[in-house]
Amino acid sequence: MLGTGDGRFAPCKQLDSEPASSIFLADFDGDGTADLLTTGVSSNGPNGMRFLKGAGQGAFATGVTISLPDMSSGASAVGDVNGDGVADVVAASWRFSGSSRLATITTYFGSRTGFIVGSSFDLPLIPDLAGGAPIKSLMLWRSAKGVLQLIVSRDPGTVDTFSMDTGGTLVLSSSQSSVFGSLFVDFNRDGYLDAVRAVSGGGIAVSFGWEHGWLPQTNVSVVPGSFVFAADINEDGYPDLIGLGGGTITISLNRGGTALDPPRSYFVSGGSIESS
């Protein structure tokens, strides 16, 4: 939906018919125009990412599929890995291996001639406890020491931290269990990523990051919703938390990284948003 400049949007336009769980808008071919990249989740066969080349003014070319080695987990991250000014993508795929699941992380370098497949890295076998994709999320992050890192959240509640060179080669820096992060953000602005997740029954828990990993989780707010996002809504420099689900948008403002305001809910009804 294109913004009209007065707080409203033009009618929704379908750009691709393939299902998507992650959507990225970035310049993947270095032509100065934003492109669209989507990834989906598969559980019954190989699939890939979808690339829609930007044509400018909100228009995109027909989507093309970028193959992954195995079934897509839907987890991917976008950033300039090799420092050439063109966006690259790191994606996770997986397959069954006996009673376990094998996940592979692959780097795809953006270029004017299309994506160039870089190095791949196989994670240790992951027990098939709950079924489905074993990788929950990926995030590219430059650490407080200036090192490019890839954060991998996987079953069963484990977070792996890799250092990453400009060729996409991954070196495992640390692995920590009992960290259940679905969203990673520097919540308290100390230069270390914090792991944020929704907890059973409603609410948000944060495992604060430090030099050697993550501390035990702390419940910081009750923000209901099936999806949790972070954005600096009030422009104070600290990420606030947003919950979406059941026709409700819930916002809790971050107060200096150690506490959140009581959540305030907004109900979406008939195309309008009403405060609770």
Side-chain angles (χ1 to χ4, degrees):
M1 296 183 292
L2 295 179
T4 59
D6 58 359
R8 295 181 295 177
F9 295 89
C12 182
K13 179 182 178 181
Q14 181 173 328
L15 299 175
D16 197 43
S17 59
E18 295 296 322
S21 58
S22 299
I23 301 175
F24 300 97
L25 191 67
D27 183 8
F28 293 100
D29 56 10
D31 64 355
T33 301
D35 311 302
L36 199 62
L37 183 80
T38 69
T39 59
V41 178
S42 63
S43 57
N44 56 2
N47 72 348
M49 302 179 289
R50 296 281 289 176
F51 173 69
L52 289 73
K53 179 177 174 59
Q57 298 183 339
F60 296 88
T62 301
V64 296
T65 298
I66 303 167
S67 298
L68 295 173
D70 296 296
M71 292 184 288
S72 171
S73 71
S76 50
V78 167
D80 185 4
V81 173
N82 56 1
D84 64 353
V86 180
D88 311 307
V89 59
V90 181
S93 58
W94 69 282
R95 67 179 183 273
F96 288 106
S97 179
S99 60
S100 299
R101 294 165 292 171
L102 177 65
T104 300
I105 308 294
T106 306
T107 302
Y108 298 81
F109 295 102
S111 75
R112 285 191 173 274
T113 58
F115 284 96
I116 300 172
V117 181
S119 60
S120 292
F121 184 91
D122 289 338
L123 294 174
L125 287 175
I126 301 170
D128 188 18
L129 300 178
I135 305 300
K136 301 308 179 186
S137 66
L138 300 178
M139 181 174 181
L140 285 169
W141 165 259
R142 196 163 295 278
S143 72
K145 296 181 179 180
V147 177
L148 182 64
Q149 295 179 325
L150 179 69
I151 312 298
V152 180
S153 176
R154 61 180 175 88
D155 284 343
T158 298
V159 175
D160 300 314
T161 302
F162 295 88
S163 61
M164 196 172 195
D165 66 17
T166 56
T169 302
L170 295 172
V171 177
L172 182 63
S173 301
S174 67
S175 183
Q176 185 173 335
S177 60
S178 300
V179 181
F180 301 90
S182 57
L183 171 70
F184 291 87
V185 61
D186 187 1
F187 188 71
N188 54 0
R189 287 178 52 191
D190 62 353
Y192 296 99
L193 279 178
D194 308 309
V196 182
R197 77 178 183 106
V199 296
S200 178
I204 297 295
V206 176
S207 296
F208 288 100
W210 66 305
E211 185 176 0
H212 301 292
W214 285 270
L215 300 171
Q217 71 179 28
T218 302
N219 293 331
V220 295
S221 180
V222 178
V223 180
S226 303
F227 302 95
V228 180
F229 301 89
D232 185 8
I233 294 176
N234 58 354
E235 299 182 340
D236 65 350
Y238 289 91
D240 308 303
L241 294 182
I242 306 154
L244 301 178
T248 302
I249 302 172
T250 306
I251 297 174
S252 192
L253 297 179
N254 183 351
R255 296 301 182 187
T258 58
L260 290 169
D261 278 355
R264 184 171 184 178
S265 296
Y266 301 85
F267 301 97
V268 181
S269 174
S272 62
I273 299 178
E274 302 172 359
S275 176
S276 60

